[in-house]
Amino acid sequence: MFFIDVQGTLIDDDKRLPIKGSVDFINRLNEKEIPYIVITNNTKNSSDDFLEYLNSVGLYIDKEHYLDPLMVLKDVLKEKNIAAYGSSPFIEVLKKMGYILDYENPNSVLLGIKKDFLPDEYAQMIEFLLQGATLTGMHATTLYAKDGKRYPGVGAILEMLRFATGKEYDVVGKPSVRFYEKALEKISRFCSKRIDFKEITIISDDVKGDLTGAKRVGMKTVFVLSGKYKKADEIVPFLDENEKPDLICKDIEEAAEKSGVL
């Protein structure tokens, strides 16, 4: 049984097209009826739009096999008046979900991702947090890869804000245990017995932003070098022993072969 990341794992970060082996992997899982959930940190598009895009490029995933932070956001962030930061499409999705954008006296600061945050935006976030607003991240990715460059991910920015203000933060998507439990609940619907995290193999290109949290709850972790990192030596030697992935593969094709799916 699998939890599968999307960006850098199923599709590449630049052209957003399927990575070698990803289409065959999903097709084989579907054909063999192997339980899986695609768990992505997508926040730029509505859940339905992003899933439709994945299907349009040959990744035939239905909604029962899919989970992203937007699908659980309202369970985590109850406040309606928020100061939200991220890409323009992300902000538009929030409006459609009924959130009220308030950049004067928000109840909460909500952080998505974009590559070009401005210093004044950070200053505004800090001011709101010091005035009592809560802090929530859509996910806690370490790096954001775009146009061949790597930028601080939401997780890195959350840590910066926590250090600057002393405010702890909540995380909606990966690697929060709540998000993984939601994925476990979904995958259990395909099985006739209660599923435990120890029965799940998770495949991702983000070691700290996805895999360390998954490993902490007992999942087997597979790190693919097709996204944020091109060499394991860029990150693995700097991890604690209990954070290191169980398996390192160049891409999902190799991960599928070593997992006995292809």
Side-chain angles (χ1 to χ4, degrees):
M1 288 177 278
F2 297 91
F3 288 171
I4 311 162
D5 180 36
V6 175
Q7 291 286 152
T9 302
L10 288 177
I11 62 175
D12 66 77
D13 287 314
D14 292 327
K15 296 182 179 179
R16 300 174 76 221
L17 294 175
I19 290 169
K20 181 183 178 184
S22 63
V23 170
D24 289 340
F25 182 46
I26 294 297
N27 285 344
R28 189 61 62 88
L29 293 177
N30 289 332
E31 290 166 5
K32 291 188 172 184
E33 297 185 345
I34 297 172
Y36 73 95
I37 303 293
V38 168
I39 50 171
T40 172
N41 280 331
N42 161 65
T43 56
K44 292 182 181 178
N45 308 97
S46 71
S47 304
D48 288 341
D49 286 349
F50 190 61
L51 190 54
E52 183 179 345
Y53 173 76
L54 293 178
N55 278 265
S56 76
V57 295
L59 294 162
Y60 299 119
I61 303 157
D62 65 43
K63 202 164 186 176
E64 290 303 306
H65 289 279
Y66 177 87
L67 184 67
D68 70 29
L70 294 169
M71 297 167 71
V72 298
L73 177 58
K74 288 186 176 180
D75 295 332
V76 179
L77 188 60
K78 306 294 186 182
E79 296 92 342
K80 288 294 183 181
N81 286 59
I82 62 172
Y85 300 87
S87 66
S88 296
F90 168 60
I91 301 299
E92 290 305 311
V93 168
L94 292 176
K95 290 179 183 177
K96 291 177 182 177
M97 291 178 69
Y99 286 100
I100 299 168
L101 299 181
D102 182 350
Y103 296 96
E104 293 185 0
N105 188 30
N107 299 119
S108 183
V109 170
L110 179 62
L111 189 64
I113 194 61
K114 64 176 182 174
K115 68 177 184 179
D116 53 352
F117 280 111
L118 300 173
D120 282 350
E121 289 179 295
Y122 291 134
Q124 191 177 55
M125 294 178 208
I126 288 170
E127 192 63 31
F128 292 149
L129 295 173
L130 292 176
Q131 290 175 5
T134 61
L135 176 60
T136 302
M138 290 301 296
H139 45 77
T141 50
T142 52
L143 294 176
Y144 172 55
K146 184 72 174 176
D147 301 327
K149 297 179 181 180
R150 291 179 282 191
Y151 302 87
V154 170
I157 299 171
L158 289 170
E159 280 294 306
M160 177 188 72
L161 293 171
R162 183 183 67 82
F163 188 79
T165 67
K167 273 291 185 75
E168 296 299 328
Y169 55 83
D170 202 355
V171 175
V172 181
K174 295 178 289 182
S176 74
V177 174
R178 176 177 47 226
F179 189 76
Y180 286 143
E181 286 177 342
K182 186 69 174 179
L184 194 68
E185 179 185 315
K186 291 198 75 164
I187 204 170
S188 294
R189 296 171 189 167
F190 301 105
C191 307
S192 58
K193 64 183 181 72
R194 182 183 176 87
I195 303 301
D196 188 87
F197 280 124
K198 293 179 181 179
E199 300 174 74
I200 303 295
T201 296
I202 181 172
I203 306 172
S204 173
D205 69 319
D206 193 338
V207 180
K208 292 190 73 68
D210 287 359
L211 299 183
T212 56
K215 193 175 182 74
R216 200 172 296 121
V217 296
M219 287 185 249
K220 180 181 178 181
T221 56
V222 180
F223 176 34
V224 289
L225 302 172
S226 51
K228 295 175 177 64
Y229 302 96
K230 302 305 180 185
K231 298 179 181 178
D233 286 349
E234 290 183 324
I235 184 66
V236 173
F238 309 105
L239 300 172
D240 293 337
E241 282 302 314
N242 62 353
E243 294 179 325
K244 292 183 178 179
D246 297 303
L247 184 64
I248 301 173
C249 299
K250 66 178 181 179
D251 54 29
I252 198 159
E253 183 175 61
E254 183 179 348
E257 289 171 351
K258 291 187 175 181
S259 299
V261 176
L262 293 181

